[in-house]
Amino acid sequence: MDTDSDHEGDLHRVPIQEPSERVTKWRNLTGFWILGLCNNFAYVIMLSAAHDILSKQEAGSNSTRPVSSWLLCGPFLQPLQTPAPIPTQNSSNSSRYDCNSLSTAAVLLADILPTLLIKLTAPFYIHLIPYGFRVLICIFTAAASFLIVSFSTGVWMSLFGVVFASISSGLGELSFLSLTAFFQRLVPFLLLLATK
């Protein structure tokens, strides 16, 4: 009697089919391409918005003003087209360029140095941190970077948010690139293609 009930249970079981090799290949390629895009998103946004991040603090509000050339500031760099004079709150700025009292190089350094530090020191400790935890740190620091920069009340707080974006990008690139060793040869190419 028990054998009949066992056979009836077998009839209702649906065999689990593994995805085909082609489906797995495309899933992995697409996944790593998306990881590469998402990993560098905060990093690139902070670099592109360096001028706006600093000018927001000078203006004393959360709104930014339109600027035609962001990082072209100084006597040696010529903008693509000469912008019309923009009235600024900084009356000491007598240049025809829209400059900040703190150079946008501060944002560049805050965005580059933490990533460089992570990449230089990671070989000594990275094997002790599991991949899942590394990815959680990347997600947390990327989200925190946007929140800190958007709600910042001072330049130092904005730069702290940029540092979080840099940590996310550096740790993410290191982790995702090391994960590619477990997949087919085309995966690292797509990961690097998405990050550049």
Side-chain angles (χ1 to χ4, degrees):
M1 197 81 149
D2 290 334
T3 57
D4 291 338
S5 64
D6 288 341
H7 292 297
E8 289 175 10
D10 289 341
L11 294 175
H12 296 292
R13 290 186 191 164
V14 176
I16 298 174
Q17 295 180 354
E18 293 293 323
S20 70
E21 189 175 318
R22 183 176 177 191
V23 171
T24 303
K25 177 183 175 183
W26 281 106
R27 182 190 62 205
N28 292 340
L29 292 176
T30 304
F32 273 95
W33 183 70
I34 290 171
L35 283 174
L37 286 176
C38 293
N39 183 53
N40 279 358
F41 183 74
Y43 181 79
V44 172
I45 293 297
M46 297 301 170
L47 283 179
S48 301
H51 181 80
D52 290 338
I53 289 170
L54 295 175
S55 65
K56 178 183 84 161
Q57 301 306 327
E58 286 180 2
S61 68
N62 264 347
S63 63
T64 58
R65 55 199 158 145
V67 178
S68 62
S69 59
W70 285 350
L71 298 177
L72 299 177
C73 189
F76 301 107
L77 300 172
Q78 296 297 321
L80 296 176
Q81 50 179 289
T82 306
I86 299 173
T88 63
Q89 283 76 14
N90 186 1
S91 60
S92 65
N93 186 4
S94 60
S95 171
R96 68 181 181 140
Y97 301 102
D98 184 28
C99 297
N100 295 319
S101 58
L102 182 67
S103 174
T104 53
V107 175
L108 179 67
L109 285 174
D111 212 8
I112 299 290
L113 290 180
T115 297
L116 181 65
L117 185 67
I118 286 173
K119 290 178 182 178
L120 287 176
T121 61
F124 302 111
Y125 60 84
I126 201 67
H127 62 280
L128 302 173
I129 305 170
Y131 284 109
F133 188 66
R134 288 189 230 171
V135 173
L136 284 176
I137 291 172
C138 292
I139 292 169
F140 171 74
T141 54
S145 71
F146 285 116
L147 292 173
I148 291 170
V149 169
S150 64
F151 294 117
S152 65
T153 56
V155 173
W156 66 271
M157 196 170 177
S158 293
L159 293 178
F160 188 65
V162 173
V163 166
F164 268 61
S166 179
I167 291 170
S168 171
S169 179
L171 184 62
E173 185 175 343
L174 182 77
S175 299
F176 299 141
L177 194 57
S178 62
L179 270 175
T180 61
F182 300 108
F183 297 93
Q184 59 264 44
R185 286 185 286 175
L186 196 55
V187 168
F189 172 71
L190 275 177
L191 179 68
L192 293 176
L193 181 67
T195 60
K196 299 301 174 207

